[in-house]
Amino acid sequence: MKRTAFFISDGTGITAESLGRSLLAQFSGVEITMLTKPYIDTIEKARALADIIDATASRDGQRPIIIDTIVDQSIRDVIRQAQGFKVDVFSTFLEPLEQELETHSSYSVGRTHAIGSDDVYMDRIHSVHFALDNDDGARTHQYDQADVILVGVSRCGKTPTSLYLALQFGIRAANYPLTEDDLDEDGSLKLPRVLAPHRHKLFGLTIDARRLSAIRNERRPNSRYSSIDQCVQEVEQAAALYRSMNIPFIDTTRFSIEEISTRMIAETGLARRFSPR
Amino acid sequence: MKRTAFFISDGTGITAESLGRSLLAQFSGVEITMLTKPYIDTIEKARALADIIDATASRDGQRPIIIDTIVDQSIRDVIRQAQGFKVDVFSTFLEPLEQELETHSSYSVGRTHAIGSDDVYMDRIHSVHFALDNDDGARTHQYDQADVILVGVSRCGKTPTSLYLALQFGIRAANYPLTEDDLDEDGSLKLPRVLAPHRHKLFGLTIDARRLSAIRNERRPNSRYSSIDQCVQEVEQAAALYRSMNIPFIDTTRFSIEEISTRMIAETGLARRFSPR
């Protein structure tokens, strides 16, 4: 049975979509096409979308599921007239919250994802550029300004994680690759000298060697770099280093970038510079 | 009146926090401290958190607001016993959805933000590295693989937007800076030659000159680069180029990176390679 879900918002649609995906993920047996419709902020746009929803209902032979976070009542009324099963987030929860907080809600359009204060914006931009400037060990003299320094072998997820931490939380994350240059005579990995003064800021990433090999193969197929033997060796050396130095670490193999980042924050108590919007 | 809100999840907490912030943003008159508590995935962690919530209730003299997306019933029961005003997202909406979809929900722990298929992960990593490799005009020979090429003056928001598009949507976004090197003899900006073959992929960013000057001042204080005169001139030249070449563009001044990105997608019909999780 084919169903369609619409996540509708007068803003970015991030909240409606996030909630919608969480709810519908609980129904793994149903095939649901999910469509996000942001910036439905005029009556005209709402009418056009209501037509699309009605057409979808006819095509599917089932009414679509509608999850919306539209604040403006007149715009919402247009969507409500479309054929759909409505999950009405704001009207369900705002009224009891008004009673609890003993005040009326402002119902202001697109409030949450509007740009915050100038300071927040500057912090965010600064953090992104910090992550870029300090990516992959490119620069090490700013490590005293870093909130965290991610370490790990090439392609274990350091760069995307650093950038996510910067964008979502304003955390200044540098990252440093562990390579064969840092091997000791006995074949074990030693802590690179530039990292030694910042040991308390280090956080390790590890990864399943087969997965690493697959990721590296995308970049340099059939190379020593991507061979399973090389990957196994590098991953084992890195893990040994983490353990011997008491560096906290996460296995990224089965985690999304969101999970790696939020777990890291939860484990280390790293402070967000601002909150995601 | 001081209130505290807890956003609680057995996963990343992204959905609970996003929803919670959207709801509470409607109450601008109330000062609310917002705390996200992810990975509450054992009875022990739930008990410890329930103690914190009770202590907060005593301190505030008001019960905290609790917005949770915990799926496991036994864990949720522990949180329910804490003193709080509960906004119960899943139990409110899952039951009517079960009826509508005529099936039971799986209530699987931490479903949505788990890593997706390998393909999605690879696509995401690839897009992030694409954005990095093609940042700030560093490389131009991969523009045929780009989904979009952002153009604009230095520090108008190109890099953070490219990275957000990559991380959230897997969109391959290159970006190219418009500089004085591309000025014509008559002082107008001409389309840089490397961009000409990709005109249909271009998307312009513009920004208020005073804001640009403030952002640049963070980087190079009291320089010609950050002077208001210079910023006014560059911004005007860029806008004139967009208009003369029919390049779609967005003024980033009052928008967050989420808004710039989602508006761009909405306006251009740019396809996401995957959906945010």
Side-chain angles (χ1 to χ4, degrees), chain A residues 1 3 10-30 32 34 36 38-39 41 62-65 67 69 71 85 87-90 92-94 96-98 100-118 121-122 124-126 128-129 132-133 135 155-157 159-161 163-164 167-169 207 211 214-215 218 252-260 262-263 266 272 275-277, chain B residues 1 3 10-30 32 34 36 38-39 41 62-65 67 69 71 85 87-90 92-94 96-98 100-118 121-122 124-126 128-129 132-133 135 155-157 159-161 163-164 167-169 207 211 214-215 218 252-260 262-263 266 272 275-277:
Chain A
M1 188 170 60
R3 303 289 301 238
D10 44 16
T12 60
I14 292 172
T15 300
E17 175 164 343
S18 171
L19 175 64
R21 288 188 181 275
S22 288
L23 290 171
L24 298 179
Q26 309 302 322
F27 298 91
S28 50
V30 188
I32 305 174
M34 305 185 203
T36 303
Y39 303 110
D41 49 10
Q62 296 277 355
R63 57 182 180 173
I65 292 149
I67 297 179
T69 56
V71 184
F85 174 79
V87 174
D88 201 340
V89 186
F90 277 1
T92 304
F93 290 135
L94 281 182
L97 272 170
E98 289 184 345
E100 173 69 16
L101 297 172
E102 294 172 349
T103 181
H104 288 287
S105 62
S106 60
Y107 271 64
S108 60
V109 176
R111 186 134 203 154
T112 36
H113 283 266
I115 200 166
S117 68
D118 267 19
Y121 184 79
M122 296 280 193
R124 197 171 193 193
I125 299 287
H126 188 284
V128 168
H129 285 284
L132 290 177
D133 291 345
D135 184 42
R155 293 278 154 153
C156 67
T159 297
T161 305
L163 291 168
Y164 188 84
L167 274 169
Q168 289 301 108
F169 305 115
I207 186 170
R211 178 155 186 84
I215 293 171
E218 291 272 303
T252 66
T253 311
R254 273 175 306 276
F255 292 145
S256 68
I257 295 161
E258 286 84 352
E259 285 179 311
I260 299 167
T262 51
R263 277 174 193 273
R272 301 172 171 194
S275 300
R277 272 126 1 116
Chain B
M1 188 171 60
R3 303 289 301 238
D10 44 15
T12 60
I14 292 172
T15 300
E17 174 164 344
S18 171
L19 175 64
R21 288 188 182 275
S22 288
L23 290 171
L24 297 179
Q26 309 303 322
F27 298 92
S28 50
V30 189
I32 305 173
M34 305 186 203
T36 304
Y39 302 110
D41 49 10
Q62 296 277 355
R63 58 180 180 174
I65 292 150
I67 298 179
T69 55
V71 183
F85 173 80
V87 175
D88 200 341
V89 185
F90 277 2
T92 304
F93 291 135
L94 280 182
L97 273 170
E98 289 184 344
E100 173 69 16
L101 297 173
E102 294 172 349
T103 181
H104 288 288
S105 61
S106 60
Y107 270 64
S108 60
V109 176
R111 186 135 205 153
T112 36
H113 283 266
I115 201 166
S117 68
D118 267 18
Y121 184 79
M122 296 280 193
R124 198 172 192 193
I125 299 286
H126 188 284
V128 167
H129 285 284
L132 290 177
D133 291 345
D135 184 42
R155 292 279 154 153
C156 67
T159 298
T161 305
L163 291 168
Y164 188 85
L167 274 168
Q168 289 301 108
F169 305 115
I207 186 171
R211 179 156 185 82
I215 293 171
E218 292 273 303
T252 66
T253 311
R254 273 175 306 277
F255 292 145
S256 67
I257 296 162
E258 286 83 353
E259 286 179 311
I260 299 167
T262 51
R263 278 175 192 272
R272 302 172 171 193
S275 299
R277 276 133 349 125

Side-chain angles (χ1 to χ4, degrees), chain A residues 37 50 82 91 93 131 149 151 160 175 202 209 225 232 251 275:
Chain A
K37 300 289 177 182
S91 71
F93 290 135
I149 304 167
V151 294
N175 76 80
L202 301 182
Y225 170 76
V232 168
D251 184 335
S275 300

Side-chain angles (χ1 to χ4, degrees), chain B:
Chain B
M1 188 171 60
K2 200 172 159 347
R3 303 289 301 238
T4 305
F6 289 90
F7 309 136
I8 307 173
S9 167
D10 44 15
T12 60
I14 292 172
T15 300
E17 174 164 344
S18 171
L19 175 64
R21 288 188 182 275
S22 288
L23 290 171
L24 297 179
Q26 309 303 322
F27 298 92
S28 50
V30 189
E31 192 198 333
I32 305 173
T33 303
M34 305 186 203
L35 300 170
T36 304
K37 300 291 176 181
Y39 302 110
I40 305 301
D41 49 10
T42 65
I43 299 282
E44 292 66 39
K45 289 187 193 170
R47 284 206 185 111
L49 179 54
D51 288 345
I52 292 173
I53 294 171
D54 286 340
T56 306
S58 305
R59 196 200 54 204
D60 289 354
Q62 296 277 355
R63 58 180 180 174
I65 292 150
I66 298 177
I67 298 179
D68 88 277
T69 55
I70 297 172
V71 183
D72 186 287
Q73 288 302 324
S74 55
I75 295 171
R76 162 175 282 169
D77 285 344
V78 178
I79 299 294
R80 291 197 70 79
Q81 285 161 29
Q83 293 176 59
F85 173 80
K86 283 109 188 172
V87 175
D88 200 341
V89 185
F90 277 2
S91 72
T92 304
F93 291 135
L94 280 182
E95 202 185 291
L97 273 170
E98 289 184 344
Q99 287 172 15
E100 173 69 16
L101 297 173
E102 294 172 349
T103 181
H104 288 288
S105 61
S106 60
Y107 270 64
S108 60
V109 176
R111 186 135 205 153
T112 36
H113 283 266
I115 201 166
S117 68
D118 267 18
D119 284 356
V120 166
Y121 184 79
M122 296 280 193
D123 235 358
R124 198 172 192 193
I125 299 286
H126 188 284
S127 300
V128 167
H129 285 284
F130 185 89
L132 290 177
D133 291 345
N134 293 280
D135 184 42
D136 209 30
R139 204 187 283 188
T140 59
H141 68 271
Q142 295 186 329
Y143 284 0
D144 54 331
Q145 295 166 46
D147 295 322
V148 64
I149 304 167
L150 296 176
V151 294
V153 303
S154 170
R155 292 279 154 153
C156 67
K158 299 184 299 296
T159 298
T161 305
S162 310
L163 291 168
Y164 188 85
L165 288 168
L167 274 168
Q168 289 301 108
F169 305 115
I171 290 173
R172 286 176 199 161
N175 76 80
Y176 189 93
L178 298 175
T179 69
E180 295 184 327
D181 297 345
D182 301 307
L183 283 179
D184 227 337
E185 297 90 45
D186 64 357
S188 68
L189 202 61
K190 61 180 193 293
L191 192 69
R193 198 177 305 163
V194 291
L195 298 180
H198 309 285
R199 238 179 83 175
H200 60 288
K201 290 184 184 178
L202 301 182
F203 195 93
L205 299 184
T206 184
I207 186 171
D208 175 76
R210 267 161 313 197
R211 179 156 185 82
L212 180 63
S213 172
I215 293 171
R216 288 184 173 183
N217 240 315
E218 292 273 303
R219 191 178 176 194
R220 288 194 220 142
N222 306 315
S223 61
R224 174 167 168 272
Y225 170 75
S226 62
S227 71
I228 184 71
D229 285 355
Q230 178 69 17
C231 290
V232 167
Q233 197 184 338
E234 288 189 34
V235 166
E236 282 179 359
Q237 287 163 339
L241 176 69
Y242 303 154
R243 279 188 293 264
S244 72
M245 289 282 164
N246 276 321
I247 298 169
F249 66 99
I250 281 182
D251 184 335
T252 66
T253 311
R254 273 175 306 277
F255 292 145
S256 67
I257 296 162
E258 286 83 353
E259 286 179 311
I260 299 167
S261 305
T262 51
R263 278 175 192 272
M264 244 186 74
I265 292 174
E267 277 185 31
T268 58
L270 209 57
R272 302 172 171 193
R273 279 177 198 265
F274 58 79
S275 299
R277 276 133 349 125

Side-chain angles (χ1 to χ4, degrees), chain A residues 16 37 45 53 55 59 68 84 109 127 132 152 156 177 240 243 261:
Chain A
K37 300 289 177 182
K45 289 186 193 171
I53 295 171
R59 196 200 56 204
D68 87 277
V109 176
S127 300
L132 290 177
C156 67
R243 280 188 293 263
S261 305

